[in-house]
Structure formats: structure tokens, C-alpha cells
Amino acid sequence: TDKPACVKSCNPSCDCGHFVEIGNDVYMQFKQLEGGKYEELKNKNVDCGFGFERNLMFLNNTEDCYTTDLFTGVISKLEELTGIKYNSDEKATKAFRIIADHVRTSMMLIADEKHLKPSNVQQGYILRRLIRRAVRYANMLGLEKGTLSMLAKTYIEGDYYKNFKNLVESKQIVFEELDLEEERFLKTLTAGEKELNKLIERLQKFAPDNKKIAGAQAFRLFDTFGFPLEMTIEMAGELGYVVDVEGFNKAFEEHRKKSGAGQTGVFKGGLANNDYETTKLHTATHLLHAGLIKVLKSECKQSGSNITPERLRLDFTFDRKMTEDEIKQVEAYVNEAIKAAVPVTMQEMSVKEAKESGAIGVFDSKYGDVVKVYTTGKYSSEICGGPHAKNTSELHHFKIIKEESSSAGVRRIKAVID
């Protein structure tokens, strides 16, 4: 680069900035064993680490990837919106890079042919984390709501439209998903950040030598305020604190055991007991789950349940509050099944057969070789450990008494039968 060498003996291994690596070759020949010994590999190969963006940085004659043609439009837009010049402020530069990178990645995932959406499970959770981290840094810069979709528009209307047809075709979906997730997380961010700061202030005052946030405290931020663990780790780290991740996982597991069947799709842990009223509500829960999927036209994966003789409670992944009309439609779906007086049947089959039959379940879970599938006519089919009512007519009438938020991206329904 144009940056002068730090000393005469400066070489490519130095990180002063005079040398910039744009690629490397790694010749795979040996495997290192314990004790420092080496064993020759059966299959040898060459790994070529020539990153596209680093090569473009070299061709554009710039000093970092974010000043190449891939990012200049968005970086310029961020400079315009904030009044801060890129590379003039260390914290702002970091924020610019995170926002530019995460918005670009997010819009590509949303515009993909599968139209990935932010959620609390699997790939959707990766997308949610990317968007929310970008939201956090945009908020730090004082940027207004809607900035992420504006930046996505800058990308799409720049050079990207020439080579990514799916971006142009799906741009409205991209804008809507970014805006929705941004709006949803801003409330969580404000409340969670406030609680985290209060927690750290108490530690500074009463335990100044303690630089660790307990797992139970981090879990409270997650469970009560919907504040993601990785966000707590990052923000605490900026203030010189670490988080007891093992303690967080322990608290999470204890909560999962108390709350019921978690995300396994099997209700056996969700029942308070096996009496007649609880059993009937268990069957109603299956019908409710199926009704949610049908009415909301979403995967709506179960994320927890609790059933007592008085009522049922179902937590499910969904991005927004249900409308009154949607609640009525779900109620009508369950009551239609009750009125139809459908027998509840059980079959034992392999996980593959259950999946092919259309039964609801999380099929990457570690089920046994044989599972039970409870089916209620055309209304519901789900992997479950039982027990259930023998016929839907035993449920009489189904009523949703409350629909509310459980945590970020998860809704909770409480319902009764009479």
C-alpha cells in the first residue's frame, strides 16, 4: 500500500498496514497430532484463499474492502445521513462496516428464491441476528427508523440490479421484512439496553471487582425483555464485562423443563397431569396449532406449551400480533373440528413415514426409530406422546381468551374449552 513501512525490516507478516494480504496458498500435506508429531495426509490438496473482495480492493487500489465498488454507494449514503466521514472516527467506521455488510447479507437472504424470513429458529435466526445487529449500530449512530430498507434500496438501485435479478423482483419483500424486523427490535433494544445498563451500574457500585454478568441475569434479559444473548455479550464486552454463557445455558434449560415440551413438537412435558380435562385440552392444543398454520399461512412452529385442567397455553413463532379476525378464524377452525365429532386416532410409524404423511414435527430432532402420530381427521396430524381425547366432540366448545407476546418473535395463546 501507499502507507510507509514501520521499519526497514518490515515484511508481509507485519500488521502496520504497509503490506496487505489479498490471498494465500495453503499446501495441505500433514496432520498435526498430539505431542507435536505430524502424520502425512492420505489425500493432499492446495487451498487457495483469494477472496473476491480482497482482490477487488487491490484492483480498485483502496486500503479496505468497504471503499470498493461493492460498498461505496452505501458508505456514501451513511456519510450523508450521519455527517461523519468514513475512517474519521473509529467507532463510526466500525458501525458503518457492520451496517453495510449486514444489510447486504440480509437483503440477499430475503431475496433468495426461498424468501427467508427472520425467526427464532435455524436459518431464520441467523437472518434475525444480522438485521438486529445492524439495527443496533444504526441506532447508535442516531439514524432514523427505516434506514436499513433505504440502504437496501441504495444497493439494489446501484450496480447490484445488473447482476441480481432476484433482488429487483423481490425488492418490495426485502424492504418490508427489513422495516418489520427493525420496528420490532427497536422496542426490545431500548428496554433491554436500559436493563443491561442498570445491571452494570449496580455491579460497578456494589461489586466493582466483578467483571462477569451471571448467566441467570443474562437469561432474564433474554426471557423478560427478548434481548438476545449475543447482544448482551457484545454490549457487555464493550464495557469490559464478560457473560457467563454456561450459566445462561443452564438457566435456559431449567426454564425449558418447567415450560413444557420446548421445540420438539412432542407435548409430553407440557401436561400438568393426565386427568380427563387436561387430556381434552391437549387435543385442543393440537387443533389450535394446525389452525394457526392454516389461518396465518405460516410455519408457526411451536416453541413451548403448558396445559392444566383449567386452560391450555401455546407459544408459537410468529412475527406480529394476530388480528381479531385471525383469532376468530382460528377459533372457528377448532370448533369446526369439534362439531364434526372426529375420532382421534394414533399410528406408530418411522420418522420418514411421519414426515411423508404431512404430520407436524421438528424432524431434525432426535426421535426414536418409531414415533406416535395422532391424527384428527383432516384437521390435525402431529407427532406426540399422548394422551388424547377419543373424539373431538368431547371438547364441546373452544375459546381463545388471550393472545399476547411471549418474547421477541414468539406469540402466546391461552385458551379454554367449555
Side-chain angles (χ1 to χ4, degrees), residues 100-150:
D101 175 81
H102 289 16
V103 169
R104 188 179 67 145
T105 306
S106 298
M107 75 177 188
M108 290 295 189
L109 291 172
I110 297 168
D112 182 76
E113 61 181 13
K114 294 184 179 178
H115 292 312
L116 188 64
K117 290 187 176 185
S119 72
N120 280 348
V121 294
Q122 299 179 339
Q123 300 97 325
Y125 186 56
I126 302 300
L127 175 58
R128 170 159 281 167
R129 287 176 63 179
L130 287 167
I131 297 174
R132 293 189 167 192
R133 193 163 184 245
V135 170
R136 189 225 161 181
Y137 279 92
N139 191 58
M140 282 173 57
L141 292 174
L143 295 170
E144 294 182 2
K145 191 166 64 174
T147 295
L148 268 58
S149 58
M150 180 197 303

Side-chain angles (χ1 to χ4, degrees), residues 281 288 292 296 304 306 310-316 320-324 326-328 330-331 398-406 410-417:
L281 281 162
L288 167 61
L292 287 167
L296 300 178
N306 180 262
E310 292 77 32
R311 59 100 182 107
L312 69 84
R313 188 186 76 206
L314 177 69
D315 292 352
F316 60 99
R320 60 170 173 79
K321 180 180 176 64
M322 289 175 65
T323 66
E324 287 296 324
E326 286 169 340
I327 291 173
K328 287 178 181 177
V330 172
E331 282 183 342
F398 174 84
K399 176 69 177 175
I400 292 174
I401 57 174
K402 197 167 190 178
E403 191 274 347
E404 60 187 347
S405 172
S406 171
V410 177
R411 305 298 297 177
R412 170 171 289 173
I413 280 180
K414 293 180 181 178
V416 295
I417 56 175

Side-chain angles (χ1 to χ4, degrees), residues 94 136-137 192-193 195-197 199-201 203-204 210-214 217-218 221 227-245:
K94 178 183 177 181
R136 189 225 161 181
Y137 279 92
E193 193 169 18
E195 287 299 312
L196 178 60
N197 287 333
L199 171 60
I200 289 176
E201 284 172 10
L203 287 173
Q204 290 172 338
N210 179 16
K211 297 295 181 182
K212 178 178 280 192
I213 292 175
Q217 293 170 322
L221 287 169
F227 208 61
L229 173 63
E230 61 274 5
M231 195 72 72
T232 300
I233 292 171
E234 183 172 21
M235 293 177 68
E238 291 170 357
L239 297 171
Y241 287 79
V242 296
V243 177
D244 178 9
V245 176

Side-chain angles (χ1 to χ4, degrees), residues 174-242:
V174 170
F175 302 153
E176 288 171 4
E177 289 297 333
L178 289 173
D179 284 341
L180 184 63
E181 188 64 19
E182 181 180 34
E183 183 176 1
R184 188 163 40 229
F185 184 56
L186 279 172
K187 296 175 185 176
T188 301
L189 179 62
T190 302
E193 193 169 18
K194 183 179 178 181
E195 287 299 312
L196 178 60
N197 287 333
K198 282 164 62 176
L199 171 60
I200 289 176
E201 284 172 10
R202 287 196 297 271
L203 287 173
Q204 290 172 338
K205 184 177 181 179
F206 299 108
D209 295 330
N210 179 16
K211 297 295 181 182
K212 178 178 280 192
I213 292 175
Q217 293 170 322
F219 180 73
R220 178 177 174 271
L221 287 169
F222 169 77
D223 185 48
T224 306
F225 300 94
F227 208 61
L229 173 63
E230 61 274 5
M231 195 72 72
T232 300
I233 292 171
E234 183 172 21
M235 293 177 68
E238 291 170 357
L239 297 171
Y241 287 79
V242 296

Side-chain angles (χ1 to χ4, degrees), residues 142-418:
L143 295 170
E144 294 182 2
K145 191 166 64 174
T147 295
L148 268 58
S149 58
M150 180 197 303
L151 296 177
K153 185 178 181 182
T154 302
Y155 274 125
I156 295 169
E157 293 182 353
D159 290 335
Y160 283 72
Y161 81 94
K162 300 174 185 176
N163 300 297
F164 297 96
K165 185 181 177 183
N166 60 315
L167 279 176
V168 180
E169 293 174 344
S170 305
K171 64 180 181 180
Q172 212 51 48
I173 298 173
V174 170
F175 302 153
E176 288 171 4
E177 289 297 333
L178 289 173
D179 284 341
L180 184 63
E181 188 64 19
E182 181 180 34
E183 183 176 1
R184 188 163 40 229
F185 184 56
L186 279 172
K187 296 175 185 176
T188 301
L189 179 62
T190 302
E193 193 169 18
K194 183 179 178 181
E195 287 299 312
L196 178 60
N197 287 333
K198 282 164 62 176
L199 171 60
I200 289 176
E201 284 172 10
R202 287 196 297 271
L203 287 173
Q204 290 172 338
K205 184 177 181 179
F206 299 108
D209 295 330
N210 179 16
K211 297 295 181 182
K212 178 178 280 192
I213 292 175
Q217 293 170 322
F219 180 73
R220 178 177 174 271
L221 287 169
F222 169 77
D223 185 48
T224 306
F225 300 94
F227 208 61
L229 173 63
E230 61 274 5
M231 195 72 72
T232 300
I233 292 171
E234 183 172 21
M235 293 177 68
E238 291 170 357
L239 297 171
Y241 287 79
V242 296
V243 177
D244 178 9
V245 176
E246 187 176 337
F248 174 92
N249 291 333
K250 184 179 178 182
F252 185 93
E253 181 61 22
E254 289 174 355
H255 174 78
R256 189 191 66 78
K257 287 177 180 177
K258 289 178 183 178
S259 298
Q263 295 183 12
T264 63
V266 182
F267 279 90
K268 61 183 179 182
L271 275 67
N273 54 53
N274 290 349
D275 69 17
Y276 183 52
E277 292 302 317
T278 305
T279 300
K280 290 193 295 182
L281 281 162
H282 188 187
T283 302
T285 305
H286 275 217
L287 293 169
L288 167 61
H289 193 188
L292 287 167
I293 293 170
K294 180 178 176 63
V295 172
L296 300 178
K297 296 179 173 58
S298 167
E299 290 185 5
C300 291
K301 291 180 180 176
Q302 174 199 334
S303 60
S305 72
N306 180 262
I307 303 168
T308 70
E310 292 77 32
R311 59 100 182 107
L312 69 84
R313 188 186 76 206
L314 177 69
D315 292 352
F316 60 99
T317 56
F318 195 57
D319 292 328
R320 60 170 173 79
K321 180 180 176 64
M322 289 175 65
T323 66
E324 287 296 324
D325 184 58
E326 286 169 340
I327 291 173
K328 287 178 181 177
Q329 287 184 55
V330 172
E331 282 183 342
Y333 181 88
V334 178
N335 283 316
E336 180 189 325
I338 294 171
K339 189 176 179 180
V342 180
V344 182
T345 61
M346 188 277 287
Q347 284 182 287
E348 291 188 341
M349 60 184 78
S350 68
V351 172
K352 183 182 178 184
E353 288 171 331
K355 186 175 182 180
E356 289 174 350
S357 75
I360 297 172
V362 182
F363 293 101
D364 54 2
S365 295
K366 294 181 179 179
Y367 290 125
D369 294 333
V370 177
V371 296
K372 293 179 179 179
V373 175
Y374 281 84
T375 303
T376 311
K378 65 179 183 180
Y379 298 99
S380 170
S381 180
E382 189 162 343
I383 292 177
C384 178
H388 281 278
K390 293 181 179 179
N391 192 290
T392 59
S393 62
E394 298 173 36
L395 278 56
H396 302 299
H397 185 264
F398 174 84
K399 176 69 177 175
I400 292 174
I401 57 174
K402 197 167 190 178
E403 191 274 347
E404 60 187 347
S405 172
S406 171
S407 61
V410 177
R411 305 298 297 177
R412 170 171 289 173
I413 280 180
K414 293 180 181 178
V416 295
I417 56 175
D418 52 42

